Every structure is written in C-alpha cells, then in structure tokens.
Amino acid sequence: MENHVIDLIPEYALGCLEEDEKAQVRAHLTGCEICKAELQKYEVVIDEILEITPLVTPPPEIRKALFERVHPAEKVTKSRKTAGRSREFKFPGIFGRLSPAWGIVSLAVIAILVVTNVMQLWVMPKGMPSNASELKVVQMSGTEFSPGATGILVISTDGEYGTLIVDRLPSITSEQQFQLWLIQDGQRENGGVFSVNPEGYGSLVVSSPEALDHYTSYGITIEPYGGSPGPTGEKVLGGSL
Amino acid sequence: MILEDETLIELVVQGNQEALAVLYDRFGRLVYSVAYASVGQSEMAAEISQEVFLGIWQKAETFDAEKGKVKTWIARIARNRAIDAVRRMNVRPEGNLVNVDIQDFRIDDNQLDNPTEEKVEKSIQSSNVRSALKQLPENQRKVLAMAYFRGLTNKQIADELGEPLGTVKTRIRLGMQKMRLLLEEYRIEDRNAI
C-alpha cells in the first residue's frame, strides 16, 4: 500500500516507536482512514490486555488527597475555557450544544481586544504618554513539523498575565494536549496546557510565577494529556519577545 | 440506583463532585493497579492515580462515547500517564510485576460491584486474553511485556536484550498481529456460542 504506515501501526498502538516514527505515523493518520481503522483494531488489543492487569488495592489516602485537590470553581473556569472545542471531543447533551457558542463569543472578544490594543500601539503618535504601550505581543511561527501553524501571545502591562491565541495547529489524539513553555536561559517552565478545535484554533489564559515578559522566548509542544514536567513531544510553534 | 458510567461522566462535566467520587470508587483500583504495574512504586502510582482523576475532573468533556467505554478510556489514560512517568523519571521499576511473564497475570473477578452478566463477560474476556498470550512464543511475549508495562521503545528493548533492532521490531509486530487475530477469533466463537 503506497505511502501507508500499516506496518508501523502495531508498534504505534503499543507506544514503542521512536519519536520520528511516531511523528510520521501521527501525521499520516490525520488523513488516512485505512490506517486509522487499522489502529483502532490494535487499540482494542491494548485495551483487552489492560483488563487482565492484576488488581492492587490502593492506599485510602489517595481518595482523600484527590478530593482536597478538586476545586469546583476551577471546574467552572475550565469548562468555559474548553468551549468551542473540536467536534471530535463533543459530548452529547445540552452542555455540549451550549459550549461552542460560548467559545466563539469569548474568542471573538479576545480577538477584538488583541486587535484594538495592537492597533493602539501602532497608531500612537510620538510624544504621547506611554500608558498605552504596555501590552507586548509575541508573534509565534510554525515549525518544520507544523509549517502552517500560527499564533500570538499578548502579555499584560505588568507581565503578570498573557493570552495566547493559536490557529492551524495539527490534529492530535484525545490523549494529548498542547503545552506552552516559557523559556529563559535555556530553562523551560510550564505556561499551561490547552486543546484546539478541528481547525486547529484555540486559546489559553497564561499566568506564571515570574512576569511573562521576563522570559525571552516561548514554545508550544505536543504533550501527553495534562502536560509534562518538560517538553517531550514535537514543537509546533515558537516565538521570541 | 446504580448510575451508568456515561451518566457519571456527564455529571462530572457539569461539576458534580459526587459523580467523580463514584467514578473513583468504581475505577480507582483499576487506575492504581495499571499505574503500579508500570512504575512498581506505591507513591508514584498514587500520584498518577490522583493526576488521572484530576484530569477526568478537568476534562471529562473529552470523553467520546463513540470511541469506547468509560472504563477503557480511564484505563488508557492511566497507562499513558504511567508510561510517561516511567520515561520521564527514567525509573527502573522494582515492583514485582516487571519481571513476571505477561501470561501469569490473573484477574480478580470480585473487584467491582458489577451485575453478574458483566462479571461473566469479563471473565470470558480475560480468559481469552490469557489464552491468546499463552499461544505467543516466549520471545514475543517478553518484548510485548517490556513495551507494554515499561514503555520501552524498540531500540531500548533491543539494547537491553542485546538483540538486533530488526529482530525486536519483527517480534513485536508479529506478537501484536497474532494477539489481534486470536482475540478476533475468540470473539466470533463467543458470539456463535450464545
């Protein structure tokens, strides 16, 4: 089969391919229903092996610790942020039908704010007070892995907050997310994780322990769902302040 | 009244903590066990378990009923996180499962408060998986276990066993293909037996 990755599918399902082969399969799967169907059959094998995992009783403290970390307020915030997500992740019910509308409205508001603030920077005459020049905008460009991807990071006056907007990011699986990295002196700190809609469009409100404009560059990689302590996957966007 | 797993997920999407608690009571042991099977350390397995359920709390809306059951979805998240933990920490698990042949695994049929029909179906399914694994040559079973539980890549397995990379790739491929064919055959047999 020309250009198909059928031979690599069993290893891909098992997760034992090297990064370059994994990326090759992942890229191919975005447009090949034949290989996707093949993958689903091998994922069933993996799932069935999971069923025979010997069961070990967990310590009771796990449950207590878990619910000390669960915050209803965070849940409300997160559900608004994930509005406008991919149809691939849509969940049935009225909640699923309302979310995309909220997502589109909130993203439109963010886009308008970004555009008006950026225009204010461009049109500000010389000698004007600098109170309008505080927002910083980092243009992010695609990589060899995702040449069509694009994004901007808008950083607030005091550098404490930022808003990331991305477009045309590559398709990823439900076990993956994109992760923003804040880079200074070769050190990378987590800026947050996010997902995108089918067109690769998404946003993230960013905060960090240090002012965002203290970092010199920013990158986005593909990571396991929930994020990683450090970058492990393909880089899809990068930019410098 | 026992709520269906998908109903619980929908309640979690709406911010219902009690629903998350029920999901934990239902699948917490499986998640911990899957994590422990890879990392071999109780503390790390506990942390992974928390991260899995926190992830479910934050992103329950990512569950897609068309792609499979809730239990499968949760177990897959647990395995992926455990493999990531093993790779990131460069852990050499000391747990008692690491050097045990995959075919020796047993299933505890009393672990969940499930209806009898589901227990029977699960028992048949686990029996099919064990039968299929037993039919693999030992060298194929071994490399599958190394990849499955320790998250090793083909190259890492080849280096550890001192075998050519091509040999390892072939064994994994053939092992997975055989598992798939055998399990598909068993499913057909089970359907015809009903």
Side-chain angles (χ1 to χ4, degrees), chain B:
Chain B
M1 172 186 152
I2 297 178
L3 294 177
E4 298 285 338
D5 295 340
E6 290 187 26
T7 306
L8 290 171
I9 290 290
E10 187 157 0
L11 288 169
V12 170
V13 170
Q14 295 169 24
N16 188 311
Q17 281 196 45
E18 286 74 24
L20 184 70
V22 174
L23 281 174
Y24 179 83
D25 292 337
R26 211 171 270 190
F27 300 118
R29 191 173 174 198
L30 173 65
V31 167
Y32 181 82
S33 303
V34 167
Y36 189 82
S38 283
V39 300
Q41 298 173 11
S42 179
E43 208 172 298
M44 198 177 296
E47 182 59 30
I48 292 169
S49 297
Q50 286 187 52
E51 292 298 326
V52 167
F53 283 96
L54 274 174
I56 292 169
W57 172 246
Q58 292 166 354
K59 297 287 182 185
E61 67 274 12
T62 63
F63 169 72
D64 185 347
E66 290 175 15
K67 291 189 174 178
K69 299 183 294 187
V70 170
K71 178 183 176 184
T72 306
W73 179 64
I74 292 175
R76 256 195 231 174
I77 294 173
R79 178 172 174 261
N80 289 339
R81 285 208 176 247
I83 297 294
D84 289 340
V86 171
R87 287 173 176 167
R88 278 200 308 272
M89 309 297 178
N90 198 24
V91 167
R92 296 282 302 188
E94 300 300 331
N96 59 352
L97 295 173
V98 172
N99 295 318
V100 174
D101 196 315
I102 198 169
Q103 73 161 354
D104 291 337
F105 291 139
R106 299 286 182 268
I107 191 88
D108 177 1
D109 289 325
N110 297 318
Q111 73 253 20
L112 291 171
D113 183 16
N114 288 326
T116 308
E117 301 90 280
E118 188 173 335
K119 271 191 188 177
V120 170
E121 182 189 324
K122 197 164 170 224
S123 179
I124 292 171
Q125 188 181 350
S126 63
S127 170
N128 288 345
V129 175
R130 285 201 298 276
S131 295
L133 286 166
K134 279 181 185 167
Q135 292 189 55
L136 296 183
E138 187 181 335
N139 58 11
Q140 289 180 10
R141 254 200 325 272
K142 188 175 182 65
V143 295
L144 285 188
M146 291 173 80
Y148 186 88
F149 287 106
R150 293 170 57 192
L152 299 180
T153 63
N154 292 331
K155 187 174 180 318
Q156 288 169 330
I157 295 170
D159 289 345
E160 189 164 313
L161 295 177
E163 300 265 18
L165 177 60
T167 301
V168 168
K169 281 173 170 272
T170 300
R171 283 180 193 162
I172 287 177
R173 202 167 296 160
L174 289 177
M176 287 289 282
Q177 285 171 352
K178 189 155 188 181
M179 285 295 294
R180 172 189 157 181
L181 287 170
L182 286 170
L183 291 174
E184 284 173 357
E185 276 176 24
Y186 293 149
R187 264 181 243 120
I188 293 171
E189 285 172 13
D190 291 341
R191 275 201 296 270
N192 290 338
I194 294 171

